[in-house]
Amino acid sequence: MRALHLSRNGILPGIGAGLLSAVAMLLLGRLWSAPVPPQLLADRLIAWLPTAVFSSILGQLESAAKPLLFVGLLVGQVALGGLIGALVVPLVRRGARPAAVFAALALGVWGLLALVLAPVGGIGLLAAHASAGTVRSLIAFAIIAICFAAALTVWSLGSGQAATFDPARRQMLRWVGLGVPSALAFLYIGRFFVGLSGKSQIKDEQPEANGLYPAITPAEDFYEVSKNFVNPSVSADGWTLQIDGLVNNPKSYTYDELLARPAQQHMATLECISNEVGGQYISNGQWTGFPLHTLLDEAGIKTGAVDVVLHAADDYTDSIPVAKALDPNTFLVYKLDGQPLAKDHGFPMRLLVPNIYGMKNVKWLNRISLVDYDFTGYWQHAGWSDVATVQTMSRIDTPRASGVPAGQPVLVGGIAFAGNRGIKRVQVSADGGKSWDDATLETPLSPLSWVRWTYRWTPATQGKVTLAVRAADGTGAFQTAEEASPAPDGATGYDKITVHVGAADSAAVPAVRPVSVEQTPVPRNWNFTP
């Protein structure tokens, strides 16, 4: 009876309409790369939050942060639908014309999306600056509005007429007319949520027999990070890369035209600025592409250009200085490990910039514009670094478990990275940093690649031992021991693991990374920042 009461009051029809419109917006975002209203709200929310607060939230929620944000915004949207339903259904029951109700609802929701949410979300009034295009975005908003208005109007009629039916017929109307579509919508959103949660987990890349990760990260294991709930699906057909702004000859290139250019193999490591000390948001890949400066040379850069602004199909923006864009190692790439870029890695084209964190290595690139000022992008507005130079880092990947008896050698190993500065030295300590021994370095696969290192350690006594690692870049400067969370300039500090040295018959115990009391908790699996 309470469900019937809620239905007659309009709350359940409003919730159902909210669920159906949510499905419509997710499908339009996935299939059409249209703006997703919850994403627009999330973008604004992140811009409003102080960097320290945002970092603290990430540290507390870790991999659950992005899915929980999505659920929170979705619940708010559905609750708003219930509120609107509570206002509309009584009007219909009192004799309001259904056609007028539908028109008012559709126009009102469309206006809310196009005139309020779009500018708040950073894509301009009437979605004027949306990468999906103004017309496409406005059509998508219209479809969402029509789905909501049509569902609520139809269910309002059913709710109002139900009082004249016998109880059995009322129940059938309620469950078939309202319950079944709402349940299907809920199942689709649940499936989307499960997929979103799965993407927020770092893939467990398979190590080699010696415990080290492969020198080249397999494409399927390459870390993936974006700001989006729904990553854009960009088709090569009709896609162009525009070069405009302060250039003498604005250019536009199709996908086939770019693929026809002389290609180069480009070995480079990419690291996310949200990667914590010891974290997994770093991968090394074999890319295929060509230097960005070849396109800029053809366009002809005008005097006075300061920044190169990078626009993406998900309305993400960032910038790099002109000098960095002209670096011969700044590449436009379209393949990873010999295969076209996967959707989540930026198909059809992305940028690779040496010595700069991944957030400025823009994916789904569709426009490059030169400007005469220091352009601040998406994450800079939220307080993250504008320079974004990678910090010198080192990580212990093996041993993963202890149980090795005292007196027997143990292979300690991992990776080190310092951008284009290279790695000159890696050292390991087994006594809390009182003494350091040099590790053996593999030859890097390129000047822009990480270095794998190994060290033979023979524990003298049983018990807990904390191993630490530090690296020196190509200039000889060691990474700082000062512990800092990723925001705003990238994490710093020494990676440490605690191993348990026991007798020969001791059970293996997983090695763990200790966290100091002073260290700010940081996310291990968050995938919201690039």
Side-chain angles (χ1 to χ4, degrees), residues 232-421:
S233 296
V234 183
S235 172
D237 296 332
W239 174 88
T240 60
L241 178 62
Q242 298 180 40
I243 313 291
D244 58 22
L246 294 178
V247 294
N248 296 315
N249 304 297
K251 297 283 186 178
S252 180
Y253 300 90
T254 67
Y255 184 65
D256 289 339
E257 287 173 339
L258 293 179
L259 263 60
R261 302 176 72 90
Q264 300 178 31
Q265 299 301 309
H266 186 66
M267 182 71 67
T269 296
L270 196 61
E271 182 181 12
C272 181
I273 197 170
S274 64
N275 197 32
E276 65 173 292
V277 173
Q280 301 294 314
Y281 282 138
I282 180 172
S283 300
N284 190 49
Q286 176 73 57
W287 310 85
T288 302
F290 53 88
L292 171 61
H293 76 79
T294 60
L295 299 188
L296 298 180
D297 291 344
E298 292 174 6
I301 301 175
K302 289 184 177 180
T303 302
V306 172
D307 268 3
V308 175
V309 182
L310 310 164
H311 300 264
D314 60 345
D315 294 306
Y316 180 83
T317 57
D318 212 318
S319 68
I320 56 175
V322 169
K324 180 61 72 174
L326 296 177
D327 187 321
N329 286 313
T330 296
F331 262 59
L332 285 168
V333 296
Y334 48 84
K335 287 185 178 180
L336 174 59
D337 291 348
Q339 299 297 321
L341 290 173
K343 167 188 171 181
D344 291 336
H345 289 304
F347 182 86
M349 195 73 59
R350 74 171 297 168
L351 192 68
L352 287 183
V353 189
N355 208 42
I356 289 181
Y357 281 115
M359 67 178 179
K360 287 181 174 288
N361 293 243
V362 175
K363 298 187 285 188
W364 309 293
L365 197 62
N366 58 18
R367 181 185 170 206
I368 298 172
S369 185
L370 285 90
V371 298
D372 59 359
Y373 59 92
D374 182 16
F375 179 90
T376 53
Y378 179 89
W379 287 111
Q380 287 73 55
H381 283 292
W384 291 74
S385 173
D386 186 29
V387 179
T389 302
V390 297
Q391 305 277 1
T392 302
M393 62 82 69
S394 53
R395 188 182 75 195
I396 300 174
D397 292 332
T398 188
R400 295 191 169 198
S402 61
V404 178
Q408 292 191 11
V410 177
L411 180 68
V412 183
I415 61 166
F417 182 59
N420 62 4
R421 303 185 301 277

Side-chain angles (χ1 to χ4, degrees), residues 5 62 65 83 99 104 121 133 172 194 239 286 353 434 466 491 509 515:
H5 178 70
E62 297 188 350
L83 177 61
M172 181 184 70
V194 170
W239 174 88
Q286 176 73 57
V353 189
K434 296 178 183 177
T466 297
V509 179
V515 178

